[in-house]
Amino acid sequence: EGLHEGEFLMDQLVAALRSAAWFRTSGGRYGFWLENVDGSPPADKISWVASGTALMSPESPYRRGLHRLTVTIKEREDGSSALAVRAMPPFLDEDEVEPAEPWLLGVGVRGLDCRIWDAELGEWSDVWEATNRLPTRVEVSLYFEAPSPGEEPIVLRRLVDIPVAAYATTAVSRTEVRRR
């Protein structure tokens, strides 16, 4: 049952990433943000603008239309942890809006790791500095509590292609060339 719930949660995360939105006139507001948080397991923080309803609380005022999702791990009051999802308007930075309480999803989610495919180097990276762009491919891993004490956590991992990323990369590159 726990594995089934984990698969559903991973499917929602993948769907939300695939619904990433990007527009040329955004001034970087539609970019992908990654804060790498090392640990065992890692607790990365990722954020992007999405157009779909995946990972959205049914009560969220941002459910319809574009919204920025921020996903990380948060400890619950009982000491367990969960995937924490916050939604906000797409054009504001996190420090420009009153933070809403995150929507906590998943039982026993202990970690989140995100890596970005660097096509130029041909390797995976834990760093994403091009915050005015979208990566073309990401690897996301969710870590769940081990079935028994002393065992390794269960890890679900997915490679996710972001369809609009190729357009975003081309558009940003053309804009940068015009400015020179």
Side-chain angles (χ1 to χ4, degrees), residues 22 24 132-133 167-177:
W22 191 90
R24 184 184 335 208
N132 62 333
R133 296 184 185 182
Y167 168 76
T169 300
T170 303
V172 170
S173 297
R174 287 181 188 155
T175 302
E176 289 171 355
V177 168

Side-chain angles (χ1 to χ4, degrees), residues 28 31-36 45 47 114-118 121 125-135 138 172 176:
F32 184 88
W33 306 337
L34 167 62
E35 183 181 327
N36 187 38
K45 181 178 182 180
S47 183
C114 182
R115 298 189 313 160
I116 309 296
W117 177 249
D118 186 329
L121 297 176
S125 174
D126 291 329
V127 177
W128 179 255
E129 294 177 356
T131 57
N132 62 333
R133 296 184 185 182
L134 295 172
V138 297
V172 170
E176 289 171 355

Side-chain angles (χ1 to χ4, degrees), residues 37-114:
V37 181
D38 290 327
S40 183
D44 291 354
K45 181 178 182 180
I46 56 177
S47 183
W48 68 99
V49 173
S51 61
T53 59
L55 290 181
M56 292 293 293
S57 164
E59 291 83 34
S60 174
Y62 309 113
R63 189 170 172 81
R64 300 197 192 287
L66 295 177
H67 47 272
R68 176 165 284 283
L69 290 175
T70 301
V71 179
T72 191
I73 301 298
K74 181 175 171 137
E75 194 167 312
R76 296 176 188 250
E77 291 179 10
D78 66 3
S80 66
S81 57
L83 196 67
V85 180
R86 289 179 198 241
M88 59 186 232
F91 301 114
L92 300 176
D93 289 327
E94 284 185 61
D95 57 354
E96 296 175 326
V97 67
E98 183 69 31
E101 279 298 310
W103 192 34
L104 301 180
L105 301 170
V107 175
V109 181
R110 305 297 299 169
L112 168 67
D113 188 32
C114 182

Side-chain angles (χ1 to χ4, degrees), residues 14 18 41 54 63 82-83 88 96 119 122 139 151 154 160 168 171 178:
V14 168
R18 286 187 177 146
R63 189 170 172 81
L83 196 67
M88 59 186 232
E96 296 175 326
E139 177 191 73
E151 292 184 12
I154 296 172
V160 184
R178 281 189 216 133

